[in-house]
Amino acid sequence: MDAAHTKITLASRMICQRCVLPESKPDIWLDGEGVCNICREFDQQKKDPGGQVKFLESDFIKILNQNKSHGPYDCLVMCSGGKDSTASLYYMKKRYKLNPLAFTFDHGFETEEALENIHHAVEILGIDFLFFKSDFMKEMFARIASSDDKVVICHPCSLWYMGLTFEMAARFDIPLIVAGWTKGQSTNQPLMSRCGCNVHQAEFVSMSKATQAFLDQYTKENLKYKDFPRSMEEVLNKAKKRHKAMVVSPHWFLPTDPAVYVEILKKELKWKFPRLSYPGLSTNCYLNFLSVYYSMKNFGFTHYHVEMSKMVRESLLSRQEALKLLEINFDQDVLEMVRQKLMPNEGI
Ligand SMILES: [Zn+2]
């Protein structure tokens, strides 16, 4: 029997006329002209000539020179199999002629397509590869997916991933951690979680509070997670005591358009877009679908809306393109499939 696909319906909200953020009080609100407070703040900062920092590739080369390795690897590259992190790996090896160690972690929900992309890249580029797979987080993920808490699944995951990355950098004495974060994912701060645990950014205040409240309670109740970090600051402080490593992304410094490097990756590294992923033209794990669904339901937006809004403000992406990429492109059946993977014993 072929069941009809069940469409996802979400309450519609007013969207900022300039970026793609919806009204989500108290953090995001629209003024009389339909423009959000984040866009207005951006305008204010633009007026201040010291407020805008533009990075150049020469700045990146300076960073590489200042962080030379004494061990076998020059940098540890966080690889998710997506276009941006695969391009980072490619640039570190080919453009900057360094010897990277590729690092991928799989919490059990990475897609076969993403892992295949990574395998092709490390094989073709001849790069050493560290693959860490563990179901350590499964219970926590299942708890989040089955509770009414507004915690965003991606947040604890990125805390764990960042912590592991620093541990690996320490293990191999690597001074530089390279991520695939784009300009929309960067901030003036030296490090930000890919998934928006940045408590200092207005758009993330409510999400971060929900995550923090969940982790405070859950890690107290569950011995298995008693040492689990509660915030990115905690991850960074712990890491700093053991080993100093700088986190940086080449995309912050390069003028390259993703359309350009996707073509290179396809041609040289057999890289492919996955069949289905949210947002459009991205590569993410299965749990991302659940995370996106709950973020939309609870807050009216996801961290992808924040990242793309930033790119729209900086004229790196058109508002129309962003709206297209952010359209919900999956249905209830996909959510059910992920829930089954996460909680096989729950008869849904
Ligand atoms: Zn806006």
Side-chain angles (χ1 to χ4, degrees), residues 228-244:
F228 196 86
R230 257 80 52 81
S231 67
M232 198 49 86
E233 273 82 6
E234 204 180 311
V235 172
L236 295 178
N237 286 336
K238 204 173 151 191
K240 243 192 283 170
K241 281 183 197 146
R242 193 170 163 203
H243 171 76
K244 272 208 172 82

Side-chain angles (χ1 to χ4, degrees), residues 60-164:
F60 187 53
I61 293 170
K62 229 180 268 169
I63 290 173
L64 299 182
N65 288 333
Q66 283 163 354
N67 290 277
K68 288 238 190 266
S69 173
H70 303 293
Y73 303 109
D74 299 310
C75 55
L76 183 70
V77 182
M78 299 163 76
C79 293
S80 70
K83 59 181 186 311
D84 307 318
S85 67
T86 311
S88 282
L89 186 66
Y90 178 87
Y91 288 141
M92 298 319 288
K93 175 80 183 184
K94 295 285 229 183
R95 193 174 175 103
Y96 303 109
K97 312 276 185 253
L98 296 180
N99 185 26
L101 175 63
F103 175 49
T104 297
F105 99 122
D106 182 359
H107 45 22
F109 299 90
E110 284 303 328
T111 66
E112 299 71 18
E113 294 153 306
L115 297 177
E116 202 176 77
N117 279 340
I118 298 165
H119 280 285
H120 281 149
V122 295
E123 266 321 303
I124 294 169
L125 293 169
I127 287 173
D128 284 4
F129 178 40
L130 199 58
F131 180 56
F132 182 83
K133 182 167 179 168
S134 162
D135 65 359
F136 172 71
M137 290 289 285
K138 200 170 174 185
E139 278 170 63
M140 192 191 287
F141 291 147
R143 165 66 181 270
I144 295 173
S146 60
S147 80
D148 290 330
D149 287 316
K150 289 185 173 180
V151 46
V152 180
I153 293 180
C154 292
H155 287 186
C157 185
S158 50
L159 295 179
W160 188 50
Y161 185 20
M162 244 7 265
L164 279 175

Side-chain angles (χ1 to χ4, degrees), residues 16 18-19 36 39 313:
C16 169
R18 295 259 298 276
C19 68
C36 79
C39 282
R313 277 177 222 120

